[in-house]
Amino acid sequence: MASATRRNNETSLDECQSSSKMPRNDKSHIAALILARGGSKGIPLKNIKMLAGVPLIGWVLRAAVDSGMFDSVWVSTDHDKIEEVAKAWGAQVHRRSPKVSRDFSSSVETIQEFLEHHKEVDIVCHFQATSPCLHPFHVKEALEKITVHGYDSVFAVVRRHQFRWKEVKERSGEKTVPFNLEPAKRPRRQDWPGELCENGSFYFAKKEIIEKEGHLQGGKLTYYEMLPEYSVDIDVDIDWPVAEQRVLRYGYFGKDTPEVVRLMFCNISGCLTDGKIFMSVSGEAMVSVNPRDTNGLRMLQEEQVEVILLTTEKDPIDPASLQKLEDRMMCKVEKVGKEPLNDLQSIVEKKKLEWKDVAFMGFDQADVKCLNLAGLSAVPGDAPAVAKKAAKYICHCAGGSGAVRDFTEHILLQKQMAKSQRDHDRIDRHNF
């Protein structure tokens, strides 16, 4: 029942997080597999669209990897960008053939092709990328139905309390009839257990079931019941804002609490500006700042995050312009040398903070050490590859064109996630 699933939340999640690899008695090769075709018709590249600051597929991959239950974790795709995101979130990639990448290709056909190329796999755990509220404890409890209790396949369901009626054609004269109730004895919700419906989160099956029977629900079959709050499936754009709010409350944020920063360092050149310098008639060097970025920094300040802007000796901005920028942005400007870390370390220590409490936005190779150290770090979308590789977040916008606002929203989202997780943990402890 659903109550049992809720009761097991705390203990199962703790067990999953206590080890990177759960011990098993059997020697079966268990593979997690997510199918992520690039040609989504409803929402282009839906599988990697950002949901609450994370690519949609990243939510499922994080839960699968952190469960510690798999010998391998795979994404089957035909798209280069999806492959890049999948690898960034800890998955291996199977490049599916054009034959199983068409609009009418079935999931089973795609999984069968995967098995043809990976004969070592004994059990396939197929996850839907569009189910972002999956947790490691769901994975563990469902998989144990196969590895411990002897079932051949298991799939996810949710309990629904909906009365169903027969559909009739308009003006046919046919009357509708109920499928699952007697209108004269209509039960109250609390007196009716409801019905189990597939929620599409996952389908686990032994290889022989898929190969011999040609589907994922065969042999000794059972289901795994998930609570309604975890049963999120995104099909169309209108689902996105609803799913985002659900994920913030019920999603799995990883083993570590999302970072909550107290100090933000931001380069002026390349981040707050596009690096261009304008000369006035009188010869003063001036810079252009996007109002969106200005508002973004003020949003951080309103959330009690101190902002320090960074400039270097190479920046041809005169002291008077820097003072004007400091006054307008209502934050301090610090000059750093060739190795920014040498100058910023003392600031962090003086404020009695650690680098995990710091957000850093840089642009070039000189910023790599700070990008690596900071709890949250970002670069604009037009930053060099060496900086992008070190950053924890890559902005959608270029420097001077809204990148700072983009990173600001990411920081505030992490803060909201941390609060949601604390609230969720507090509720779980109370229920337990």
Side-chain angles (χ1 to χ4, degrees), residues 225-352:
E225 184 179 349
M226 294 175 67
L227 291 171
E229 50 262 42
Y230 299 117
S231 298
V232 179
D233 186 22
I234 301 173
D235 285 324
V236 293
D237 246 335
I238 197 171
D239 294 332
W240 216 266
V242 176
E244 191 159 76
Q245 291 304 311
R246 185 81 69 86
V247 165
L248 286 173
R249 184 168 183 181
Y250 298 111
Y252 172 65
F253 301 118
K255 296 179 181 180
D256 300 320
T257 302
E259 302 293 354
V260 179
V261 303
R262 296 170 59 189
L263 173 65
M264 160 83 155
F265 292 121
C266 178
N267 277 350
I268 295 174
S269 181
C271 297
L272 188 60
T273 75
D274 59 6
K276 294 178 182 178
I277 301 295
F278 302 94
M279 301 300 295
S280 69
V281 177
S282 60
E284 290 181 315
M286 299 181 296
V287 295
S288 175
V289 179
N290 192 306
R292 293 184 63 236
D293 292 329
T294 302
N295 291 335
L297 292 181
R298 286 174 181 165
M299 288 165 60
L300 282 179
Q301 291 167 331
E302 289 172 1
E303 291 294 325
Q304 310 307 311
V305 177
E306 182 182 0
V307 177
I308 297 178
L309 300 180
L310 305 178
T311 184
T312 68
E313 295 178 355
K314 293 182 178 180
D315 292 335
I317 309 176
D318 59 81
S321 296
L322 286 176
Q323 184 61 54
K324 290 178 182 178
L325 184 63
E326 190 175 72
D327 294 341
R328 181 183 177 185
M329 305 301 293
M330 295 183 290
C331 54
K332 190 175 181 180
V333 175
E334 291 279 355
K335 183 171 286 188
V336 296
K338 294 181 180 179
E339 288 286 346
L341 179 60
N342 295 340
D343 300 294
L344 301 184
Q345 181 65 42
S346 60
I347 296 176
V348 173
E349 293 175 354
K350 185 177 180 181
K351 294 181 180 296
K352 297 182 179 180

Side-chain angles (χ1 to χ4, degrees), residues 24-322:
R24 298 202 317 263
N25 295 326
D26 64 284
K27 296 182 180 180
S28 300
H29 184 110
I30 305 176
L33 178 63
I34 301 173
L35 309 183
R37 189 169 64 93
S40 172
K41 296 298 182 183
I43 307 174
L45 290 179
K46 172 178 64 178
N47 294 315
I48 56 173
K49 181 178 177 180
M50 300 300 285
L51 177 71
V54 173
L56 178 58
I57 198 173
W59 289 99
V60 179
L61 282 173
R62 179 159 57 192
V65 171
D66 284 0
S67 74
M69 298 298 290
F70 300 108
D71 298 289
S72 58
V73 177
W74 295 85
V75 169
S76 170
T77 187
D78 60 338
H79 198 279
D80 292 342
K81 186 62 178 177
I82 295 177
E83 176 175 353
E84 179 183 330
V85 173
K87 289 180 177 178
W89 284 87
Q92 300 180 67
V93 173
H94 169 76
R95 291 295 296 218
R96 64 167 71 177
S97 69
K99 181 181 177 181
V100 296
S101 299
R102 296 170 290 186
D103 291 343
F104 51 84
S105 298
S106 70
S107 297
V108 173
E109 290 175 328
T110 310
I111 295 172
Q112 287 174 332
E113 181 194 76
F114 170 81
L115 287 172
E116 289 175 5
H117 288 82
H118 302 281
K119 298 186 182 300
E120 74 279 5
V121 174
D122 299 298
I123 300 173
V124 174
C125 297
H126 166 42
F127 295 97
Q128 299 274 25
T130 53
S131 300
C133 284
L134 182 76
H135 280 245
F137 77 89
H138 294 137
V139 178
K140 177 181 181 294
E141 293 176 353
L143 189 53
E144 284 181 346
K145 290 180 178 290
I146 295 178
T147 60
V148 177
H149 301 294
Y151 287 94
D152 297 315
S153 56
V154 58
F155 60 98
V157 301
V158 63
R159 192 172 297 274
R160 302 291 189 199
H161 291 78
Q162 296 173 323
F163 295 126
R164 296 180 295 109
W165 292 76
K166 179 183 177 182
E167 181 179 0
V168 298
K169 293 182 179 180
E170 190 175 356
R171 292 189 294 274
S172 67
E174 184 182 1
K175 69 175 184 177
T176 186
V177 294
F179 282 139
N180 62 348
L181 83 152
E182 294 182 44
K185 299 179 180 179
R186 190 181 186 91
R188 298 182 303 169
R189 179 185 176 91
Q190 58 266 38
D191 296 330
W192 181 48
E195 296 180 327
L196 297 179
C197 305
E198 290 186 27
N199 70 0
S201 289
F202 56 77
Y203 300 84
F204 300 172
K206 292 181 178 178
K207 175 171 63 175
E208 53 265 29
I209 298 297
I210 302 170
E211 291 180 336
K212 294 178 181 179
E213 300 188 23
H215 54 82
L216 295 166
Q217 295 163 299
K220 186 179 178 182
L221 175 66
T222 190
Y223 58 81
Y224 175 81
E225 184 179 349
M226 294 175 67
L227 291 171
E229 50 262 42
Y230 299 117
S231 298
V232 179
D233 186 22
I234 301 173
D235 285 324
V236 293
D237 246 335
I238 197 171
D239 294 332
W240 216 266
V242 176
E244 191 159 76
Q245 291 304 311
R246 185 81 69 86
V247 165
L248 286 173
R249 184 168 183 181
Y250 298 111
Y252 172 65
F253 301 118
K255 296 179 181 180
D256 300 320
T257 302
E259 302 293 354
V260 179
V261 303
R262 296 170 59 189
L263 173 65
M264 160 83 155
F265 292 121
C266 178
N267 277 350
I268 295 174
S269 181
C271 297
L272 188 60
T273 75
D274 59 6
K276 294 178 182 178
I277 301 295
F278 302 94
M279 301 300 295
S280 69
V281 177
S282 60
E284 290 181 315
M286 299 181 296
V287 295
S288 175
V289 179
N290 192 306
R292 293 184 63 236
D293 292 329
T294 302
N295 291 335
L297 292 181
R298 286 174 181 165
M299 288 165 60
L300 282 179
Q301 291 167 331
E302 289 172 1
E303 291 294 325
Q304 310 307 311
V305 177
E306 182 182 0
V307 177
I308 297 178
L309 300 180
L310 305 178
T311 184
T312 68
E313 295 178 355
K314 293 182 178 180
D315 292 335
I317 309 176
D318 59 81
S321 296
L322 286 176

